[in-house]
Amino acid sequence: MKLSSKNLDQRLDTLYDAIIVGGGMGGLSAAIYLARYGLKCLVIEKGRGRSLWMQDLRNYLGIDPNTPGRDILNHGVKQAIQWGADYLPGFVEDVVDEGDHFAVRVKVGKQNSIYPVFHSKYLIAASGIIDILPQIENMQNIYDYAGYTLHVCMICDGFDMWDQKAVLIAGTESQINAAFVLNWFTPYISVLTHGLCTVGDEMKQKLADHGYPLYEAPIARILGENHHMSGIELTDGTIVEATTGLINMGSIYHNRYLKGIAGLEWDGENLITNNMMQTSHPRLFALGDLKQGINQVSIAVADGTLAATQIWRNIRRASTPRKWEENIARVTAAK
Amino acid sequence: MKLSSKNLDQRLDTLYDAIIVGGGMGGLSAAIYLARYGLKCLVIEKGRGRSLWMQDLRNYLGIDPNTPGRDILNHGVKQAIQWGADYLPGFVEDVVDEGDHFAVRVKVGKQNSIYPVFHSKYLIAASGIIDILPQIENMQNIYDYAGYTLHVCMICDGFDMWDQKAVLIAGTESQINAAFVLNWFTPYISVLTHGLCTVGDEMKQKLADHGYPLYEAPIARILGENHHMSGIELTDGTIVEATTGLINMGSIYHNRYLKGIAGLEWDGENLITNNMMQTSHPRLFALGDLKQGINQVSIAVADGTLAATQIWRNIRRASTPRKWEENIARVTAAK
């Protein structure tokens, strides 16, 4: 059921089988599976996740390629609740491992917030990442193009940039290297650093060797209309022509609530998992963009399947098998 | 484009980047990704795969839970072709590794068959499995219930069997062990062997301890109407009451065409793969039910994503980077 500050009291005494931090693609897939395994689960979703920003999901089998991410999320929430999952809009402030269960403290409501604590045997970390965008005075101008013609994922959208004039917006010198992958899709690449880093001679030479101009002045605004870019104006007045772009400025990982949990193995900001998405903590699973590997909807969805299945296996194996008592009585009587 | 005996001549000189054997969920996902990486690929689909039999796909995020498997397959074929993949109905007879490419011999057409040979750098084995069904005189009677109330996948459909009277149909003694997992969903289990195996005393005792009756006579027919089971009639006249059932008689693996390829590591009938679905043969990938792990649509779809991405990486890294020649000329002139 859908929880809110009005009814969440009903669940404060519940020991959930699993709490899922994050109602993105991976978290919702996990919730659908857990609910269909007959397990009690709660999805806690802070809103504004990466897949909410997708204007069209091009490469997920079975879905029309102009389907926005939010439609799949809304559909998944409805499905998960229908199968029996709980769903709460809220922000996970803190998770404490109490030995046999986790205590999950949630901020609910932006104003007059309350801070309920929920309990679960297992925790699924599915809170994902969010792309860092170039900060300009009028951020709405970025949002008007991001997800339409200004992309954040080359695997998802490289095809839609084919042989177009493109900008690559990078925040560090090493992020500029994406140009030498993006050139699979288009060789007409202008590199913009938004004034965030200095670029060494070796990289400058490499860009020149490829014919990719480098612009180091900050971005003033994106030019274009109806979400279609025509170029980028820099603060020095330069106009860089481009009908598409890739932002490669790294990501913010929504994993702060995990940092106090002992025994977790990290690879940078990513959690290390086994092939069932179990971390080095036996009751903690990690999905999608929080674990190692490529960031794709299809992969997060499969991760949710795997984590839920392993949690079901663990709980089932620890439970007493259900018997058909009436027949046992009969067998005993016959003996 | 869609290929057939009429137009496939146009592709006999093509060196595909990848040929995908099997147009199920994994193969179509791979085709969508490969096409969007700008790679040339061909899907060869023999028809009548496992997901075609699914009457409703309950647990795949974003899809209504009453969607039949065939709708997703048809949608995926359309998408893959739209992005640039080729698709051919046909049966792969044989694959020969010619060192730098594979030669794939296909039987096209059930009558007046022709046997064209296609060539590709990479091969994706996505031909899956098919469940073994109990053989009775009138197989249509089985098909009337299979995929509706008589299931083949506990993970997919256990939830829909909850606390119902169920039959477990097993073909070997070890397959009977599924009863002790199925009892998570319902304890009202009758075990049927369809006369295919003898059951030892130890297993008989275990079933009796759980109260699960064992019926060793062959199945005569499924009883019920409108795809809803009411029971099973055995050849000895016994009627076993049940409103649902699970067939657990093993699978036929569509992998014969792989058996002649040297250097493939197998785990029984499953191929061993790394985390990008690459087998021990560097140009051969395996997806979904052909590899190890659980058989789920979401997992096959992610496998397709991973295999296609690794093939793209390999091909991209081996290719000459594309340069923006006009700008290189300018830089040289300025020097």
Side-chain angles (χ1 to χ4, degrees), chain A residues 24-26 28-29 32-33 35-39 58-65 72-73 75-79 82-84 154-160 162-163 165-166 180-190 205 207-213 241 276 294 296-299 301-302 305-306 309 312-313 315-317 319 321-328 331 335, chain B residues 24-26 28-29 32-33 35-39 58-65 72-73 75-79 82-84 154-160 162-163 165-166 180-190 205 207-213 241 276 294 296-299 301-302 305-306 309 312-313 315-317 319 321-328 331 335:
Chain A
M25 303 296 187
L28 290 172
S29 176
I32 287 169
Y33 271 84
R36 287 183 56 84
Y37 288 133
L39 297 173
R58 295 298 206 195
N59 49 21
Y60 181 63
L61 183 73
I63 298 285
D64 281 331
I72 311 215
L73 296 171
H75 188 278
V77 171
K78 212 182 75 181
Q79 278 310 311
Q82 185 183 311
W83 298 126
M154 201 191 310
I155 289 180
C156 307
D157 301 308
F159 185 85
D160 303 302
W162 208 274
D163 280 355
K165 282 194 182 171
F180 311 114
V181 182
L182 183 60
N183 64 8
W184 175 265
F185 299 102
T186 178
Y188 310 118
I189 300 170
S190 299
Q205 187 58 50
L207 289 171
D209 290 346
H210 284 75
Y212 305 157
E241 250 186 80
M276 295 303 284
I294 63 175
Q296 288 288 293
V297 167
S298 59
I299 292 179
V301 170
T305 300
L306 291 165
T309 300
W312 170 57
R313 285 176 177 167
I315 289 176
R316 174 169 56 73
R317 286 167 187 167
S319 71
R322 295 209 289 162
K323 298 179 178 184
W324 193 346
E325 304 294 349
E326 176 196 337
N327 288 329
I328 292 173
V331 169
K335 268 182 183 169
Chain B
M25 304 295 188
L28 291 172
S29 176
I32 287 170
Y33 271 83
R36 287 183 56 84
Y37 288 133
L39 296 175
R58 296 296 206 198
N59 48 21
Y60 181 63
L61 183 73
I63 298 284
D64 282 330
I72 312 215
L73 296 172
H75 188 278
V77 171
K78 211 181 75 181
Q79 277 310 310
Q82 185 182 309
W83 299 126
M154 202 192 309
I155 289 180
C156 307
D157 300 309
F159 184 85
D160 302 303
W162 208 275
D163 279 354
K165 282 194 181 169
F180 311 113
V181 181
L182 183 60
N183 63 7
W184 176 265
F185 299 103
T186 178
Y188 311 117
I189 300 170
S190 299
Q205 186 58 51
L207 290 172
D209 290 346
H210 284 75
Y212 305 158
E241 250 186 81
M276 296 302 283
I294 63 175
Q296 287 288 293
V297 167
S298 59
I299 292 179
V301 170
T305 300
L306 291 165
T309 300
W312 170 57
R313 285 175 177 167
I315 290 176
R316 173 170 55 75
R317 286 167 187 166
S319 71
R322 295 208 289 163
K323 299 178 176 183
W324 193 348
E325 303 294 347
E326 175 197 336
N327 288 329
I328 293 173
V331 169
K335 270 185 182 167

Side-chain angles (χ1 to χ4, degrees), chain A:
Chain A
M1 88 177 172
K2 185 134 189 204
L3 300 184
S4 70
S5 56
K6 293 198 177 59
N7 64 353
L8 62 79
D9 284 0
Q10 297 175 42
R11 293 294 197 262
L12 294 180
D13 295 331
T14 299
L15 177 59
Y16 283 102
D17 291 304
I19 288 178
I20 302 163
V21 185
M25 303 296 187
L28 290 172
S29 176
I32 287 169
Y33 271 84
L34 287 167
R36 287 183 56 84
Y37 288 133
L39 297 173
K40 279 196 293 257
C41 70
L42 166 64
V43 179
I44 303 170
E45 165 58 22
K46 65 164 182 27
R48 304 167 63 87
R50 195 184 200 212
S51 46
L52 190 79
W53 293 91
M54 289 174 196
Q55 300 304 330
D56 35 41
L57 181 51
R58 295 298 206 195
N59 49 21
Y60 181 63
L61 183 73
I63 298 285
D64 281 331
N66 57 353
T67 307
R70 65 180 172 279
D71 285 11
I72 311 215
L73 296 171
N74 291 339
H75 188 278
V77 171
K78 212 182 75 181
Q79 278 310 311
I81 292 174
Q82 185 183 311
W83 298 126
D86 286 345
Y87 183 90
L88 171 68
F91 180 82
V92 171
E93 294 263 321
D94 190 38
V95 173
V96 177
D97 181 5
E98 307 214 324
D100 59 347
H101 73 274
F102 292 103
V104 179
R105 186 164 171 270
V106 187
K107 177 179 174 177
V108 177
K110 281 191 184 157
Q111 285 157 347
N112 305 319
S113 307
I114 58 169
Y115 294 84
V117 177
F118 298 90
H119 300 271
S120 68
K121 296 178 192 168
Y122 289 86
L123 191 81
I124 297 181
S127 40
I129 60 172
I130 193 81
D131 302 279
I132 298 173
L133 302 178
Q135 297 298 304
I136 64 172
E137 209 176 294
N138 172 20
M139 281 306 290
Q140 186 54 48
N141 171 247
I142 300 279
Y143 303 141
D144 284 346
Y145 297 93
Y148 295 95
T149 47
L150 182 57
H151 303 290
V152 293
C153 173
M154 201 191 310
I155 289 180
C156 307
D157 301 308
F159 185 85
D160 303 302
M161 303 171 76
W162 208 274
D163 280 355
Q164 290 184 60
K165 282 194 182 171
V167 290
L168 171 72
I169 305 175
T172 68
E173 185 174 305
S174 77
Q175 287 164 354
I176 294 174
N177 283 304
F180 311 114
V181 182
L182 183 60
N183 64 8
W184 175 265
F185 299 102
T186 178
Y188 310 118
I189 300 170
S190 299
V191 173
L192 278 60
T193 61
H194 192 43
L196 290 170
C197 60
T198 55
V199 181
D201 287 343
E202 200 176 329
M203 178 62 84
K204 280 186 174 159
Q205 187 58 50
K206 194 172 175 187
L207 289 171
D209 290 346
H210 284 75
Y212 305 157
L214 171 69
Y215 299 92
E216 300 189 69
I219 293 164
R221 61 192 180 104
I222 318 284
L223 307 173
E225 56 183 355
N226 288 329
H227 312 301
H228 285 90
M229 286 175 63
S230 60
I232 293 205
E233 186 181 328
L234 305 182
T235 54
D236 65 5
T238 307
I239 289 176
V240 181
E241 250 186 80
T243 51
T244 189
L246 178 72
I247 299 171
N248 187 43
M249 296 177 63
S251 311
I252 295 165
Y253 283 74
H254 297 302
N255 59 11
R256 210 180 52 196
Y257 62 95
L258 296 168
K259 293 296 174 76
I261 295 174
L264 283 177
E265 274 182 59
W266 296 86
D267 167 24
E269 294 292 301
N270 289 114
L271 282 157
I272 295 175
T273 59
N274 69 11
N275 65 349
M276 295 303 284
M277 304 308 127
Q278 189 177 33
T279 67
S280 49
H281 185 303
R283 290 183 294 106
L284 203 154
F285 290 70
L287 307 186
D289 301 348
L290 277 193
K291 67 171 228 304
Q292 299 164 300
I294 63 175
N295 304 336
Q296 288 288 293
V297 167
S298 59
I299 292 179
V301 170
D303 291 351
T305 300
L306 291 165
T309 300
Q310 189 58 47
I311 290 171
W312 170 57
R313 285 176 177 167
N314 293 354
I315 289 176
R316 174 169 56 73
R317 286 167 187 167
S319 71
T320 312
R322 295 209 289 162
K323 298 179 178 184
W324 193 346
E325 304 294 349
E326 176 196 337
N327 288 329
I328 292 173
R330 245 188 247 165
V331 169
T332 310
K335 268 182 183 169

